[in-house]
Amino acid sequence: MQGISKKRWGRWVVALSFGFAAGAALADDAIPESNPYSGDEKAMREGKSWYRGVCAACHGGRADGAGERGNGADLRKFELGFKGFVHVVLEGRQQPGRTMAMPAWKGVLKNDDIYKIGAYLETMAIEGANWKEGNRH
Amino acid sequence: MHITLKTMVVALGFAGMASAAFAGPVSEQMLAQDPSDSWLHTNGNWAGHRYSVLSQLNNRNAKDLKVAWTTSVGAKTDSQATPLYHDGLIYFPQDNKVFAIDADNGKIAWKYEHKLPDDWGGYNVPFFTGKHRGVAILGENVYFLSNDNKLHALNYKTGKPKFVADYQKDGIVYPKDFAKAGDANGYISTVGPMAVPGAIILPMNGTDTGGLEGFVLGVSPEDGKLLWKANMIPRPDEPGGDTWPAGSQKYGGAGPWIAGSYDPDLKMYFTGTANAYEWNPKNRGGGEMDNVGAASIVAVSTDSGKVNWRYVGVPGDPWDFDIPQTPMVITIDGKKTIVQPNKTGYIHHLDAKTGKYLKADLFIDKINWIKGYDKNGRPIDMIPLPKEGGDPVEIAPALLGGVNMYPNAYNPNTGNLYLAATESSMKYGFEDIKLISNVRHFGAYQEFNFGDEVDKAVNVKTGKEVWRDTQVGKPGYAGGMLTTAGNLVVYTTQGGRFTVADARTGEKLYELNTGIAAKSGPITFMHKGKQLIVQPLGGTPGFGRDEANGVEFGHAIIAFTR
């Protein structure tokens, strides 16, 4: 198991600002306050399949960021809450000065599938993660 | 002993005459030699040895090495290129730019910059963008292959382009942003070109950006025009063509993505190829069909583009054990032999002329995916495949290898291969194959168990390990290996420790903690009477996990001399 570095916490703060900046332009009210699929077994199975097929290459099968494509965030400690998660997936996330980035999935993945991925990732959460509320900072 | 002395004499001869012989435009005769004053191929020579005949720096004086200069090109992603050196300048590609660096002091002499198309993007593309593994040089041109598969011929003294060639009309399209394209599949070039007599060789890989089938292109050095196009996956009427279900070839992967090798007598280009696509094999025979051409070594005639032979190292490759590593050409017991250490954990030996399997030597400690290779070069007792949507299986090595993209070396004096190896395993499972913008996703996932980086020497004839340097608790690979007639082996660990060791014993002669991950191989050359070693550094250690090595993202190029 690998711990998350301070740098990565920082990256999520950066990601958050991107996410919320983007949120202004997004139909924000279309995203529910909480994940409608939390705890839904069927949705989580579908979310797992999407996660493993699309996300695991960078974020790793364990969601710890140790994917073959490298540099994925450790999603077990995701702390931006459900709406923050949806924003980051839709809008992507840049790392200043770096080429590798989280691509934007808006117009590619359906919101419903993103929610299902989130429902699956909630099951991978470890201490310190937040999949419920918005940003706690 | 005889060979050593002879080599030393040749080396001294080169050292004396080189400044005259190795100035000015690069001739095919220069390209045909083992590297001495210049370093003219990504892998040093056509045979892929990364062996220099220089011996001014050697195992007696390497302890006196010092840093000559450092520089940076401000890399924004991993630096994977092995530079070239010729006539005072070091050529280094990074982030779709080419830099010429003055070997006197590390100053940038010229810079060429290419802009990627506005609709650039797609599956895995941010991972690949900006990475390059080399350039080629011939005549007055430095040849650079940008990520969008354009060949740029740049004047070696000024960086001014003579031509920029595009191969989209030849079917080599680039990958496009999912949100902007109905079909986002495409080829992405990270490997560098190779100059051979009469052609520039361009490996074309679309494997992990949707699976478009791999090709090797031969193009004119004069204007970049296509001369021939060799398909890695056999057509239905070629040998091995029946190992693919009808229609599965188009997105069958098998792209070449690491510099190959060339033999001037056989006039063949040898390349390893990527896995068959998708990773989940259900659309290409379910692992029961061989998928020849993928996870294979392929020989291509450089006169015609005809494929001479294909050997499949991982039949039906369900594990992403592509075998793209450089197939070295080594004469063993009088026979020209392809020697390829690869992801499988084995060093494969083939007859260079025919592709006939000779043997496979195991070089890693932990392995369970097969019990070995039989006399025909087929895996023995491969582990059963996981079920789609079911539990993953534990498999060693992981798809990391063995060895991976980080280049290995061969020293004819010691008879040793020098391997940038790692120990690893993974849990590996299959899922449904997702389709987005006509791009087929892997349909597979993995959970890695990283082991130690192990840098090692293995005798090429016996397959026996000679020495090892284990980076305990530190996953990854050395950036790449270099060896010399001065009885040296040079490498930098993933954690950034530049190391010069005795090639015979592995005894460390000089070390410097650079503080930056290494993902590329060092080179050596003569500049103004002095032998220099240049090591590019840059990127994040491991597969994005920097904790174990305690090194952050960074970039530098460091030159050493005494």
Side-chain angles (χ1 to χ4, degrees):
Chain A
M1 289 298 179
Q2 319 233 10
I4 193 167
S5 66
K6 283 180 183 169
K7 183 177 70 179
R8 289 204 165 73
W9 288 111
R11 285 178 192 164
W12 279 112
V13 173
V14 172
L16 177 75
S17 26
F18 272 100
F20 283 164
L26 204 74
D28 207 27
D29 358 328
I31 301 167
E33 286 301 315
S34 60
N35 192 335
Y37 292 117
S38 285
D40 180 326
E41 291 290 337
K42 180 168 178 292
M44 287 191 293
R45 274 199 304 278
E46 288 176 38
K48 178 160 80 172
S49 182
W50 273 108
Y51 176 82
R52 287 175 166 178
V54 175
C55 317
C58 291
H59 293 282
R62 296 189 194 94
D64 60 356
E68 193 214 6
R69 305 289 125 148
N71 291 61
D74 185 339
L75 300 176
R76 301 168 307 163
K77 289 193 164 186
F78 189 79
E79 64 154 4
L80 301 183
F82 170 66
K83 291 191 86 163
F85 168 73
V86 178
H87 281 303
V88 170
V89 176
L90 288 174
E91 299 303 321
R93 184 174 65 90
Q94 300 293 320
Q95 297 181 73
R98 303 272 292 273
T99 303
M100 275 197 253
M102 166 87 178
W105 295 91
K106 187 164 64 179
V108 180
L109 287 178
K110 293 177 190 152
N111 279 20
D112 218 40
D113 291 326
I114 296 171
Y115 306 162
K116 288 173 183 172
I117 293 168
Y120 167 62
L121 285 173
E122 285 179 24
T123 68
M124 313 281 272
I126 57 177
E127 194 178 344
N130 169 35
W131 281 95
K132 302 293 182 194
E133 310 298 328
N135 181 32
R136 295 178 299 177
H137 296 291
Chain B
M1 189 64 181
H2 171 73
I3 293 172
T4 305
L5 285 172
K6 184 179 162 191
T7 311
M8 293 287 277
V9 169
V10 171
L12 289 169
F14 274 123
M17 66 180 196
S19 53
F22 282 86
V26 172
S27 65
E28 289 181 357
Q29 288 73 25
M30 291 181 197
L31 290 181
Q33 297 176 27
D34 283 339
S36 54
D37 271 37
S38 290
W39 187 276
L40 299 174
H41 300 284
T42 294
N43 283 326
N45 66 0
W46 276 329
H49 294 175
R50 290 181 181 254
Y51 164 78
S52 166
V53 302
L54 296 178
S55 58
Q56 189 186 79
L57 297 175
N58 54 55
N59 58 329
R60 292 180 302 283
N61 62 27
K63 65 181 189 313
D64 301 325
L65 278 170
K66 58 183 188 296
V67 172
W69 48 257
T70 69
T71 192
S72 175
V73 298
K76 294 179 175 58
T77 189
D78 296 352
S79 292
Q80 297 180 345
T82 300
L84 302 185
Y85 168 82
H86 182 64
D87 205 2
L89 293 176
I90 296 158
Y91 301 100
F92 188 73
Q94 181 71 43
D95 299 321
N96 287 288
K97 302 170 194 167
V98 180
F99 297 86
I101 297 163
D102 189 331
D104 272 349
N105 48 29
K107 288 188 176 165
I108 293 168
W110 57 255
K111 175 173 80 168
Y112 173 83
E113 187 163 358
H114 171 63
K115 185 177 178 299
L116 292 170
D118 290 341
D119 58 351
W120 175 257
Y123 190 34
N124 287 316
V125 168
F127 171 71
F128 294 116
T129 302
K131 294 176 181 172
H132 310 279
R133 304 207 186 86
V135 292
I137 187 167
L138 175 62
E140 295 186 344
N141 297 324
V142 171
Y143 293 93
F144 167 59
L145 198 52
S146 49
N147 285 156
D148 54 348
N149 319 304
K150 289 189 172 73
L151 180 65
H152 308 251
L154 311 173
N155 182 279
Y156 74 137
K157 291 294 184 192
T158 66
K160 296 251 177 334
K162 179 183 178 190
F163 66 81
V164 179
D166 186 335
Y167 303 97
Q168 294 203 76
K169 66 180 184 316
D170 302 304
I172 308 298
V173 296
Y174 61 82
K176 298 181 179 62
D177 190 327
F178 281 138
K180 295 179 185 168
D183 187 339
N185 289 287
Y187 294 85
I188 182 163
S189 291
T190 49
V191 59
M194 177 188 274
V196 303
I200 303 296
I201 305 288
L202 307 179
M204 288 298 165
N205 173 37
T207 305
D208 283 353
T209 47
L212 284 167
E213 64 174 322
F215 293 99
V216 172
L217 309 187
V219 306
S220 164
E222 297 305 315
D223 54 17
K225 291 221 165 78
L226 184 69
L227 302 172
W228 46 259
K229 182 178 176 184
N231 44 292
M232 299 296 95
I233 297 177
R235 297 290 172 251
D237 59 348
E238 290 181 85
D242 58 355
T243 64
W244 295 80
S248 63
Q249 298 94 331
K250 184 177 179 186
Y251 297 102
W257 60 273
I258 290 178
S261 58
Y262 170 72
D263 185 84
D265 299 325
L266 296 170
K267 295 186 178 174
M268 289 184 199
Y269 178 76
F270 305 99
T271 185
T273 64
N275 48 289
Y277 206 74
E278 304 89 4
W279 292 14
N280 179 336
K282 68 179 179 183
N283 294 329
R284 50 182 175 81
E288 300 295 317
M289 297 177 81
D290 278 4
N291 303 145
V292 169
S296 296
I297 301 172
V298 179
V300 178
S301 164
T302 54
D303 285 342
S304 63
K306 177 179 175 291
V307 171
N308 300 95
W309 52 259
R310 299 175 176 90
Y311 163 78
V312 58
V314 190
D317 186 6
W319 311 113
D320 188 35
F321 277 164
D322 47 349
I323 57 169
Q325 288 71 25
T326 301
M328 299 182 193
V329 187
I330 299 175
T331 300
I332 301 174
D333 294 332
K335 180 181 280 193
K336 274 195 180 167
T337 306
I338 295 296
V339 176
Q340 191 207 45
N342 56 42
K343 276 193 188 181
T344 64
Y346 288 87
I347 303 165
H348 281 79
H349 289 230
L350 310 176
D351 183 311
K353 189 173 180 184
T354 65
K356 182 176 182 296
Y357 171 86
L358 300 173
K359 69 166 180 169
D361 292 325
L362 182 66
F363 69 89
I364 55 172
D365 299 339
K366 188 176 177 184
I367 186 161
N368 75 347
W369 80 279
I370 52 170
K371 292 184 176 148
Y373 279 86
D374 69 16
K375 62 184 173 42
N376 297 313
R378 297 189 63 81
I380 299 168
D381 290 345
M382 189 169 80
I383 201 166
L385 271 55
K387 286 193 170 54
E388 183 177 298
D391 292 334
V393 296
E394 178 86 22
I395 183 167
L399 57 84
L400 308 168
V403 290
N404 202 300
M405 72 184 85
Y406 309 99
N408 307 298
Y410 167 68
N411 188 320
N413 303 330
T414 64
N416 292 341
L417 299 165
Y418 299 95
L419 305 181
T422 199
E423 293 288 332
S424 64
S425 66
M426 65 179 174
K427 282 188 174 174
Y428 185 84
F430 295 137
E431 285 291 336
D432 186 27
I433 296 165
K434 305 296 185 191
L435 185 73
I436 297 174
S437 296
N438 198 36
V439 173
R440 291 143 183 80
H441 286 217
F442 293 160
Y445 67 98
Q446 68 285 319
E447 300 171 4
F448 289 126
N449 298 309
F450 298 109
D452 295 337
E453 171 184 331
V454 188
D455 310 302
K456 60 174 69 174
V458 175
N459 183 279
V460 73
K461 258 181 100 161
T462 65
K464 295 221 160 56
E465 185 173 308
V466 180
W467 55 260
R468 67 168 61 189
D469 174 18
T470 303
Q471 316 309 321
V472 179
K474 296 179 179 179
Y477 323 77
M481 313 302 269
L482 163 71
T483 185
T484 76
N487 191 25
L488 298 179
V489 59
V490 185
Y491 54 96
T492 303
T493 66
Q494 187 91 159
R497 192 196 70 220
F498 176 79
T499 305
V500 181
D502 183 297
R504 293 186 188 280
T505 65
E507 179 195 354
K508 306 245 181 65
L509 305 169
Y510 176 83
E511 293 176 276
L512 179 73
N513 176 28
T514 69
I516 304 173
K519 303 208 167 192
S520 93
I523 64 168
T524 189
F525 54 85
M526 291 294 285
H527 180 65
K528 295 186 176 173
K530 282 190 132 181
Q531 185 180 352
L532 270 71
I533 297 171
V534 168
Q535 172 71 65
L537 302 154
T540 308
F543 277 83
R545 316 312 300 167
D546 44 21
E547 292 88 349
N549 282 295
V551 175
E552 293 290 315
F553 181 86
H555 177 263
I557 298 174
I558 306 181
F560 297 85
T561 192
R562 62 183 284 266

